[in-house]
Amino acid sequence: MSQPIDSANRIEFRHLIADRIAAHPQQRVTFKTFMEWVLYEPTLGYYAANRQKIGAGGDFVTSPHLSADFGELLAEQFLDLWRSLARPNLFQVVEMGAGQGLIAADVLKYLERTQKSTASDYAAFWQALEYIIIEKSPVLISEQQNALKTFVEIERKLTWRTWEEMPDESIVGCFFSNELVDAFPVHRIEIQAGQLQEVYVASSESDPTQFVEVVSSPSTPELQSYLDELGVDLSTYEDGYRSEINLETFSWLETVAKKSVRATC
Ligand SMILES: C[S@@+](CC[C@H](N)C(=O)[O-])C[C@H]1O[C@@H](n2cnc3c(N)ncnc32)[C@H](O)[C@@H]1O
């Protein structure tokens, strides 16, 4: 069972959101902004609050909670990539959004174990390996640092970085994530009379700390461009049809591409 969110925090958080909405020129924010606050607001947000979220005692589980196989298979994939890059002396694995650090633990434990075997080139791969975590939630960073102490202090294989601390075109290796992109805040859209509309969040008139949806014209032309690019014909959708658009994925992919060393052929 997950611990209930402390009710004083819950009330404080509702007031904070209500104040921000009231300060907004149209007294409403996009669902994306609302989702960003609710998930990532320091101390109060879902991923920032100090309570168990992921795992058997939390709200949801992910593949690494089921067994170490997932991380171990990934480790073998990283080894294959290193081989196909002609065994560079430094191979960096960048995990983005590491949760409780379970995948990192499974990958590193497996490679630490196999490097001691006589099998082919595991030892050389272990030498070349540097594991980097990029994590948005400070609470989860400290959980990860606790769980992965050995690989920081003794093995010196693991570090935490921000994108800003990572120079452009610096990474030789592999960027990966598990269940990250669906944690990005999304715009919610609604179709009305064949036209694109967006879902906003506003305060209820009777109690500003209760939130209501408002449907209005899109906050950004990028939403329509996204649908145009996919060739979506809005006239074929019924009134009230809703979906989500995850625009953050694009800037995230651009960042990842920018940080990778360009291959020269
Ligand atoms: C659903 S959890 C998945 C955790 C882990 N990968 C797993 O499979 O158990 C999403 C994770 O991504 C992190 N996260 C969300 N947005 C992020 C961002 N923009 N950059 C880095 N981490 C992010 C969250 O704090 C959390 O650790």
Side-chain angles (χ1 to χ4, degrees):
M1 283 283 291
S2 66
Q3 308 95 298
I5 299 170
D6 178 68
S7 68
N9 281 352
R10 194 193 290 257
I11 293 166
E12 181 193 342
F13 199 11
R14 281 184 172 276
H15 278 282
L16 177 71
I17 292 175
D19 290 348
R20 286 184 183 167
I21 290 176
H24 197 271
Q26 290 168 299
Q27 282 82 54
R28 65 176 197 212
V29 293
T30 60
F31 178 82
K32 176 183 183 286
T33 299
F34 182 76
M35 186 171 168
E36 172 79 38
W37 293 339
V38 168
L39 289 184
Y40 301 110
E41 180 66 27
T43 328
L44 296 170
Y46 180 77
Y47 281 112
N50 203 358
R51 59 187 283 271
Q52 187 179 359
K53 296 162 271 284
I54 321 176
D59 301 321
F60 63 94
V61 293
T62 57
S63 308
H65 289 95
L66 306 181
S67 85
D69 295 357
F70 188 60
E72 295 184 357
L73 287 168
L74 279 171
E76 284 289 337
Q77 290 292 306
F78 299 142
L79 177 67
D80 269 356
L81 280 171
W82 172 73
R83 288 182 185 130
S84 56
L85 288 174
R87 298 170 164 76
N89 291 335
L90 176 64
F91 183 90
Q92 292 154 307
V93 168
V94 183
E95 180 176 1
M96 301 161 290
Q100 292 152 316
L102 297 186
I103 299 179
D106 292 337
V107 167
L108 289 165
K109 278 183 197 159
Y110 176 78
L111 292 173
E112 204 271 335
R113 203 166 63 234
T114 50
Q115 59 105 11
K116 290 179 186 147
S117 72
T118 49
S120 66
D121 41 10
Y122 284 94
F125 181 54
W126 181 248
Q127 283 301 314
L129 181 70
E130 183 190 354
Y131 201 107
I132 298 166
I133 292 179
I134 295 190
E135 170 58 57
K136 184 166 176 161
S137 156
V139 169
L140 287 174
I141 291 179
S142 39
E143 241 180 83
Q144 294 158 10
Q145 289 177 335
N146 231 2
L148 296 161
K149 258 192 201 116
T150 325
F151 296 105
V152 183
E153 291 167 8
I154 301 169
E155 305 285 358
R156 304 203 177 279
K157 283 283 157 207
L158 176 61
T159 52
W160 281 259
R161 298 225 194 124
T162 62
W163 287 120
E164 292 70 33
E165 289 164 344
M166 189 178 280
D168 289 353
E169 298 196 24
S170 65
I171 299 294
V172 173
C174 178
F175 286 89
F176 87 99
S177 61
N178 185 54
E179 301 208 20
L180 167 72
V181 181
D182 57 355
F184 288 170
V186 291
H187 291 268
R188 295 192 75 201
I189 58 158
E190 183 172 309
I191 312 302
Q192 285 294 347
Q195 298 296 309
L196 177 64
Q197 298 283 285
E198 182 164 2
V199 179
Y200 295 81
V201 179
S203 282
S204 120
E205 277 180 22
S206 54
D207 176 357
T209 64
Q210 298 297 318
F211 304 113
V212 293
E213 291 179 350
V214 177
V215 177
S216 188
S217 49
S219 59
T220 163
E222 284 178 68
L223 295 171
Q224 184 65 56
S225 309
Y226 173 87
L227 295 169
D228 291 344
E229 205 165 308
L230 291 177
V232 176
D233 178 1
L234 295 180
S235 68
T236 60
Y237 289 84
E238 281 175 19
D239 274 1
Y241 178 88
R242 283 192 175 190
S243 190
E244 294 94 38
I245 297 183
N246 186 343
L247 292 179
E248 219 165 280
T249 312
F250 299 104
S251 51
W252 169 70
L253 281 174
E254 274 167 21
T255 305
V256 170
K258 206 165 65 177
K259 301 296 175 187
S260 317
V261 166
R262 298 274 176 277
T264 45
C265 303

